[in-house]
Amino acid sequence: MLRVAYPATLPPELLRDFPEGVELIPVSEHLDQDLDIDVWIPDPYPTRAMRAWPHLHGVRLVLSLLAGTEWIPTVVGPHVTICNAHGAHNVATAEWTITAILAMLKYIPLYLDIQHSGVWKRRFEASAQYAQITGDARPLYPPVMLEDLSGKTVLLVGYGAIGKEIERMLEPFHVDLIRVARTARTTPTVHPVSELDALLPTADIVVLILPYTAESRWLIDAPQFALMRQGALLVNAARGPIVNTDALVNALRAGKIRAALDVTDPEPLPERHPLWSCPNLFLTPHIGASSPNFAPNALRTAADELRRYMNGEPLHNVVQAAI
Amino acid sequence: MLRVAYPATLPPELLRDFPEGVELIPVSEHLDQDLDIDVWIPDPYPTRAMRAWPHLHGVRLVLSLLAGTEWIPTVVGPHVTICNAHGAHNVATAEWTITAILAMLKYIPLYLDIQHSGVWKRRFEASAQYAQITGDARPLYPPVMLEDLSGKTVLLVGYGAIGKEIERMLEPFHVDLIRVARTARTTPTVHPVSELDALLPTADIVVLILPYTAESRWLIDAPQFALMRQGALLVNAARGPIVNTDALVNALRAGKIRAALDVTDPEPLPERHPLWSCPNLFLTPHIGASSPNFAPNALRTAADELRRYMNGEPLHNVVQAAI
């Protein structure tokens, strides 16, 4: 019988699709005994998962419920195979990204502020905001009170499952899409990361949706902000440390760029951190992948991978093969 | 020489595409003389346009820069042909609609509030908001912090040029789309307005994008709110009086529905009006069609219509034919 540990907080009915021949063992974050386990489904909150780990013995396979697994290899070591929930969170994360882009281009934070003030005529402030952010000083008539996404140039940095989903959702807006990833490809054209600096000045919107690795740490730093267009929008739906936070704070305070972040570095963002009060910033507390479908999708992906593992078939979502 | 009056506030370079053989006459809202005019391009702000109208004589054709022309017939009477800027504002208005839908499903107002408070852990309030709005009391794991648009049922009330553009932008989200318009059609199926009440209980999201007429006044009133699903989202990108404002305020205060409005009744919304402080509401001050492309698009549409008028060709965007 294969012993599969899962977070005790997970309602057991979500595990109904798991294969026969599996012993399902709920694991709380406050384990008071050691357990022999074959397969570990860690709690999606890393701090809770890490508290359980020292009590688990014999783990050969980790099935993460998340797309990003960057904390797992250092905790479990190289002798364990790690799979992510590839595909399970594409839709929610891509939808957050489209929402963040549109919310910034339509000045939703400003309009909510106007709504709270209860004064209709403050709408004209949006026109001043447009001129200030974009640096567009032409006499515009009527005053411009929001921007179109249609026709903009979007630089998509990362072209995995979620990146492709973002591309799909951008399609009706006829944006000019430029793709960048670790591995250059053709059909469609994907530029290598080495060309990022050359491409940054061409983009109105830069979307980060690549894995966090040693190579992608601080991929966006002060020189990259300097290369970006006046008023360009940086969207980080990936991981916080892909951006140098100090450089980001400087670029925002200087009015050079605007940003929408679902992830930060550090995370959680401490109270009184300068990011909280930066101008032209929209920030959500790492909720992009959250959705009523989160757990059902992630557990269906894990159950499928477990079935392949038990049948000796090749796994689909390996992010680390055991050595 | 055809005499064409245009708003004096309009930068003349935007009229470069107008046909030869036209005398372009700038008209300010404070005219101190009467003018003989053949064609009138009214100021997009009706109050300004109405101040100019009594001084204009001989007008046979009105070319509106807007999609909605509901104030014009009563002002100019039945002996004048009126054309709207059909197509010019589709993209901006449809983008506002998609933005409004996504902003509400992703609880952007709540997250901006959390951002302003500067406390990361308040993210869990979103889960409480989800349960409260949707009435979904199942134990959800992890807590649900936003909703997917994908898979929702959208009732599109109005299926003109902007309605079709909204449908096009909804395509990647694989929503279940139900169309309603004044005229029932097939391929695709468009239900007649008479079936609206029967369809309302099936929708997660109701989008109003139909013309304001005597028939569409208060189309959404207390009985319609009662028919809507718990937590359904009403989006009004059309005209304020299509919704009974008192009934809307009641439905919002009762926690029955949520709403996103670019238009209100009355408009502008006066200070201290109850709508300003209704819960689960996002409100913008009639800026949905605003965009850097507003004037160039609208004037290109007007120039094309004027060319057809001068050549004796059928006009494309007639909303009232002169009798």
Side-chain angles (χ1 to χ4, degrees), chain A residues 1-271:
Chain A
M1 201 77 149
L2 202 70
R3 293 170 59 86
V4 177
Y6 72 94
T9 41
L10 204 67
E13 65 267 27
L14 285 171
L15 298 159
R16 271 182 306 218
D17 289 339
F18 269 59
E20 304 274 318
V22 155
E23 187 184 352
L24 291 166
I25 301 157
V27 163
S28 104
E29 63 177 313
H30 304 294
L31 264 182
D32 51 7
Q33 50 169 335
D34 287 11
L35 289 173
D36 282 317
I37 293 294
D38 300 297
V39 179
W40 183 36
I41 300 173
D43 196 293
Y45 296 101
T47 46
R48 292 192 206 163
M50 283 188 240
R51 271 196 284 267
W53 171 253
H55 299 282
L56 305 179
H57 301 289
V59 171
R60 288 172 290 148
L61 175 66
V62 175
L63 296 176
S64 169
L65 299 176
L66 300 173
T69 55
E70 67 285 345
W71 64 272
I72 303 179
T74 42
V75 168
V76 305
H79 303 292
V80 176
T81 296
I82 303 169
C83 298
N84 74 355
H86 180 89
H89 311 306
N90 296 357
V91 166
T93 308
E95 282 197 8
W96 179 90
T97 304
I98 304 297
T99 306
I101 291 172
L102 286 170
M104 290 305 282
L105 293 184
K106 306 298 185 195
Y107 307 158
I108 301 299
L110 174 71
Y111 283 113
L112 279 164
D113 187 31
I114 289 176
Q115 179 178 351
H116 291 149
S117 79
V119 183
W120 185 274
K121 69 179 160 58
R122 282 192 54 203
R123 59 199 292 229
F124 294 105
E125 287 176 25
S127 181
Q129 172 139 347
Y130 171 80
Q132 180 220 313
I133 289 175
T134 63
D136 190 340
R138 291 174 302 166
L140 287 158
Y141 178 85
V144 171
M145 292 175 281
L146 39 73
E147 292 168 68
D148 291 339
L149 171 54
S150 297
K152 290 266 193 294
T153 298
V154 178
L155 184 62
L156 189 60
V157 186
Y159 199 57
I162 302 176
K164 284 172 187 152
E165 190 70 8
I166 292 169
E167 175 176 40
R168 202 180 61 75
M169 291 185 185
L170 283 172
E171 224 153 86
F173 300 103
H174 303 304
V175 299
D176 193 354
L177 192 79
I178 306 170
R179 304 169 202 85
V180 171
R182 281 180 292 185
T183 322
R185 273 164 278 178
T186 49
T187 5
T189 304
V190 180
H191 299 269
V193 170
S194 58
E195 294 177 16
L196 180 64
D197 283 5
L199 293 167
L200 278 171
T202 68
D204 301 303
I205 300 162
V206 179
V207 176
L208 304 178
I209 191 63
L210 71 169
Y212 175 49
T213 62
E215 290 75 38
S216 67
R217 181 167 189 270
W218 289 16
L219 185 71
I220 305 294
D221 203 342
Q224 285 67 44
F225 287 118
L227 287 167
M228 286 170 74
R229 283 189 179 169
Q230 171 59 38
L233 171 64
L234 177 73
V235 180
N236 192 354
R239 285 293 184 264
I242 296 173
V243 177
N244 178 342
T245 299
D246 288 345
L248 173 63
V249 168
N250 289 340
L252 286 167
R253 285 182 174 167
K256 176 70 196 286
I257 61 135
R258 29 187 174 168
L261 312 174
D262 188 44
V263 291
T264 56
D265 177 28
E267 195 171 301
L269 199 64
E271 293 185 37

Side-chain angles (χ1 to χ4, degrees), chain B residues 90-291:
Chain B
N90 296 358
V91 166
T93 308
E95 282 197 8
W96 180 89
T97 304
I98 304 297
T99 306
I101 292 171
L102 286 170
M104 291 304 282
L105 294 184
K106 306 299 184 195
Y107 307 159
I108 301 299
L110 175 72
Y111 284 113
L112 278 164
D113 187 31
I114 290 176
Q115 178 179 351
H116 292 147
S117 79
V119 183
W120 185 275
K121 71 180 160 57
R122 284 191 54 202
R123 61 198 292 228
F124 293 106
E125 286 175 26
S127 181
Q129 171 137 346
Y130 172 80
Q132 179 219 314
I133 289 175
T134 63
D136 190 339
R138 290 174 302 166
L140 287 158
Y141 178 87
V144 172
M145 292 175 280
L146 39 74
E147 291 168 68
D148 290 340
L149 171 55
S150 298
K152 289 267 193 294
T153 298
V154 178
L155 184 60
L156 189 60
V157 186
Y159 198 58
I162 302 177
K164 284 172 188 153
E165 190 70 11
I166 292 169
E167 176 177 40
R168 202 179 61 74
M169 290 185 187
L170 283 172
E171 224 153 86
F173 300 102
H174 303 303
V175 299
D176 194 354
L177 192 79
I178 306 171
R179 303 169 203 85
V180 171
R182 282 181 291 183
T183 322
R185 275 165 276 177
T186 50
T187 3
T189 303
V190 180
H191 298 269
V193 169
S194 58
E195 294 177 16
L196 179 64
D197 283 5
L199 293 167
L200 278 171
T202 67
D204 301 303
I205 300 162
V206 179
V207 176
L208 304 178
I209 190 65
L210 70 169
Y212 175 49
T213 62
E215 291 73 40
S216 68
R217 181 169 189 269
W218 288 15
L219 185 72
I220 305 294
D221 203 342
Q224 285 67 44
F225 287 119
L227 287 167
M228 285 171 74
R229 283 190 179 168
Q230 171 58 40
L233 171 63
L234 176 73
V235 180
N236 192 353
R239 284 295 182 264
I242 296 172
V243 178
N244 178 341
T245 299
D246 289 345
L248 172 63
V249 168
N250 289 340
L252 286 167
R253 284 182 175 166
K256 176 71 198 287
I257 60 134
R258 32 189 171 165
L261 313 175
D262 188 43
V263 291
T264 57
D265 177 27
E267 195 171 300
L269 199 63
E271 293 185 37
R272 284 177 295 276
H273 189 283
L275 257 190
W276 287 117
S277 52
C278 278
N280 301 320
L281 173 69
F282 173 53
L283 189 156
T284 55
H286 206 148
I287 48 85
S290 177
S291 136

